[in-house]
Amino acid sequence: MNVKLGKTRMIGPHKGNEMRSLQHSMRSRFKHTPQKKGDAKLKLMSFGDGKRGDDKLGEMASGHLFMMISTKGCPHGAVTALATTKPTTKMKAIDRIEIQVPIRSINPDIQESNVGKNEAASLTVPLAVVGSPIIAERQTVGSIDAAFKAKGKKYVGVATDQGRFSVSQNAQIINDYMGQVTPENSMKWDTIESSQNNFRFTTADALVNFATTNNKVIRGHTLVWHSQLPGWVSSISSSTTLTSVIQNHVTKTMTQWKGKIYAWDVINEMLSEQGGLRDSVFSRVLGEGFVKIAFDAARAADPTVKLYINDYNLDSASYAKTTGMANLVKKWLAAGIPIDGIGSQTHLGSGQSSGTAGALSTLAGSGVSELALTEVDIAGASSNDYVAVFRACVEQPKCIGITVWGIRDPDSWRPSTNCLLFDSSYKPKAAYTAVVNYLRS
């Protein structure tokens, strides 16, 4: 249907001629039936280069300008939609535009999808500019998550927490480029249950709420780990007590977000570099038996979530830790322990990416149903290294997703190595562009 704008006004520094330079008509297609016909307000929030502050929602990608539009006045509540335009000239940023569009007919040509409890419609909005510089100069290559999904994979994500995603630039990158989040610290034992049976979920709740609101996959991290463990757990010497403590912690933590989390790292970093058990309170008191205790409790707490064992230095096919992990998991699966996946953290040095494909093949041989690269960062962040890691996952049928351990270099756990995909100014590095280009090739 052809729709004329009822009212148009600009909020921000650009007024007058720049406003009049916008074409005062647009064509929209909806597959949505309002229960009551009438006006729906579309608010185009800050498309452009995003330099003006927190509410930037636009980007240039493949010659198209993407704008997030929130519609109000629809009987089903607020709707979030994505509009695309192909501008013929570069324009500078504007803060936001409010327009009122009468919706009086239906066109079934456009597909509809659901986002949470709200409906989302995809709108195509041609936007013309008459000689005025009001479209952003910024150009990006688009979403790495979308490009990865186009290869048949589940997500590309990032480690974050409330202190990170409350920063507008971080939140914007997650929303624009990522499809999954992992809590960096908020779900670890010392945060959630620092004293026995005193559970605090507030910080992790914030992450889960952020992720579900923005339609992001969540990986829970982590339930049983020798590090960031409260002293009251480390001091347990009774096998009966430790068994009960593990079961209680796993059950209450997982129940808190049951149905909202895709996968849990049930056990983290339990192996030595020789491929045997790491020395910890769990292995000292319970031996190998703590694996069954933890995974059985996890499966009972949430029968549908994917259950992972996660570790680092699983980066070479023949390395003792890699083969040890594969052999142990194969044995545990045969014994009926419900392990769905192996997570390889993939903290790499420069040039170390060449072993990733072989390592994934070894881990796949364990018999798990899926694999994931769970904490990726690569010293130097070379394009060749990052492309090799992504290629390894793309070409391994069991590898379903990749999580990068942070957004920008200063926020990394090893900041001096410049190991992430975004620099200190939140700009995507050459490695980001190289990965997206590879995925689209």
Side-chain angles (χ1 to χ4, degrees):
M1 60 180 172
N2 292 320
V3 179
K4 288 207 171 187
L5 302 185
K7 292 182 180 179
T8 308
R9 72 186 177 96
M10 181 175 292
I11 301 173
H14 302 280
K15 298 179 181 178
N17 292 335
E18 291 172 337
M19 188 69 257
R20 288 192 291 272
S21 70
L22 289 174
Q23 160 180 312
H24 282 208
S25 66
M26 58 188 273
R27 178 171 53 87
S28 303
R29 293 174 179 171
F30 294 76
K31 187 182 177 185
H32 171 69
T33 309
Q35 293 176 0
K36 296 179 181 179
K37 293 181 180 179
D39 289 350
K41 179 181 287 187
L42 307 185
K43 182 180 291 186
L44 281 67
M45 297 293 294
S46 183
F47 66 93
D49 64 4
K51 294 178 180 178
R52 298 205 57 82
D54 294 350
D55 62 353
K56 192 284 300 179
L57 289 173
E59 65 176 9
M60 294 288 292
S62 301
H64 288 72
L65 177 67
F66 288 83
M67 297 178 291
M68 293 305 297
I69 299 178
S70 64
T71 70
K72 297 181 180 179
C74 177
H76 295 288
V79 179
T80 299
L82 180 67
T84 65
T85 72
K86 192 169 184 179
T88 57
T89 182
K90 291 185 178 181
M91 299 185 287
K92 294 181 180 178
I94 60 178
D95 285 340
R96 60 186 185 267
I97 302 172
E98 291 186 359
I99 55 179
Q100 287 188 338
V101 181
I103 301 174
R104 305 201 183 277
S105 60
I106 306 165
N107 188 316
D109 295 340
I110 205 72
Q111 290 187 349
E112 181 184 80
S113 61
N114 290 327
V115 179
K117 295 182 179 178
N118 297 328
E119 291 183 4
S122 177
L123 316 179
T124 303
V125 185
L127 178 65
V129 178
V130 184
S132 183
I134 50 175
I135 284 184
E137 300 168 358
R138 174 175 171 261
Q139 184 167 357
T140 68
V141 293
S143 167
I144 195 170
D145 176 66
F148 196 60
K149 287 173 177 172
K151 291 290 189 181
K153 301 300 182 177
K154 189 170 182 64
Y155 61 78
V156 174
V158 66
T160 189
D161 254 324
Q162 189 173 21
R164 304 286 191 212
F165 63 74
S166 60
V167 176
S168 61
Q169 295 96 324
N170 277 285
Q172 196 63 60
I173 288 173
I174 295 170
N175 284 328
D176 288 351
Y177 301 114
M178 303 296 174
Q180 174 266 331
V181 294
T182 297
E184 191 169 8
N185 290 296
S186 63
M187 291 185 185
K188 290 173 180 173
W189 200 318
D190 65 347
T191 300
I192 285 181
E193 193 188 5
S194 59
S195 60
Q196 189 167 7
N197 215 29
N198 180 23
F199 286 83
R200 298 178 302 174
F201 297 118
T202 305
T203 307
D205 278 342
L207 177 130
V208 172
N209 292 339
F210 171 82
T212 54
T213 298
N214 292 287
N215 199 31
K216 306 300 179 185
V217 173
I218 306 169
R219 293 192 81 258
H221 177 82
T222 174
L223 295 168
V224 178
W225 186 31
H226 69 276
S227 187
Q228 292 182 238
L229 189 67
W232 69 268
V233 181
S234 301
S235 63
I236 294 173
S237 58
S238 163
S239 61
T240 301
T241 301
L242 187 56
T243 297
S244 176
V245 163
I246 292 172
Q247 291 169 335
N248 185 59
H249 180 78
V250 169
T251 300
K252 289 190 175 179
T253 301
M254 290 184 65
T255 301
Q256 176 71 10
W257 304 292
K258 184 176 180 178
K260 296 181 179 180
I261 292 184
Y262 170 76
W264 269 102
D265 290 332
V266 178
I267 297 179
N268 191 46
E269 298 179 4
M270 67 166 290
L271 296 188
S272 69
E273 295 306 301
Q274 292 73 42
L277 298 186
R278 172 196 289 274
D279 178 62
S280 71
V281 64
F282 305 112
S283 62
R284 286 193 303 271
V285 176
L286 297 169
E288 202 173 289
F290 84 91
V291 176
K292 179 175 175 57
I293 292 166
F295 275 92
D296 282 352
R299 178 55 71 226
D302 191 341
T304 62
V305 74
K306 299 295 184 181
L307 304 179
Y308 272 69
I309 185 168
N310 189 54
D311 220 319
Y312 63 93
N313 284 354
L314 305 177
D315 307 313
S316 171
S318 59
Y319 186 56
K321 193 171 186 178
T322 309
T323 58
M325 174 68 83
N327 292 335
L328 285 169
V329 170
K330 187 174 185 178
K331 180 181 75 171
W332 294 330
L333 288 172
I337 298 176
I339 303 172
D340 296 307
I342 298 175
S344 174
Q345 294 182 11
T346 319
H347 298 294
L348 301 179
S350 179
Q352 199 179 351
S353 61
S354 59
T356 306
L360 286 176
S361 181
T362 296
L363 297 173
S366 67
V368 291
S369 61
E370 60 185 55
L371 304 170
L373 303 180
T374 57
E375 303 181 18
V376 177
D377 50 30
I378 308 174
S382 80
S383 296
N384 288 342
D385 277 333
Y386 264 102
V387 169
V389 166
F390 272 79
R391 181 182 289 113
C393 186
V394 166
E395 295 179 354
Q396 170 49 245
K398 290 186 176 182
C399 187
I400 58 100
I402 294 176
T403 305
V404 181
W405 206 247
I407 290 176
R408 61 176 194 144
D409 289 330
D411 299 330
S412 169
W413 68 289
R414 47 177 190 160
S416 64
T417 64
N418 299 317
C419 57
L420 298 177
L421 289 171
F422 291 81
D423 66 18
S424 59
S425 299
Y426 298 97
K427 294 179 181 178
K429 297 182 185 178
Y432 181 98
T433 302
V435 169
V436 173
N437 288 340
Y438 155 69
L439 293 171
R440 289 176 174 171
S441 65

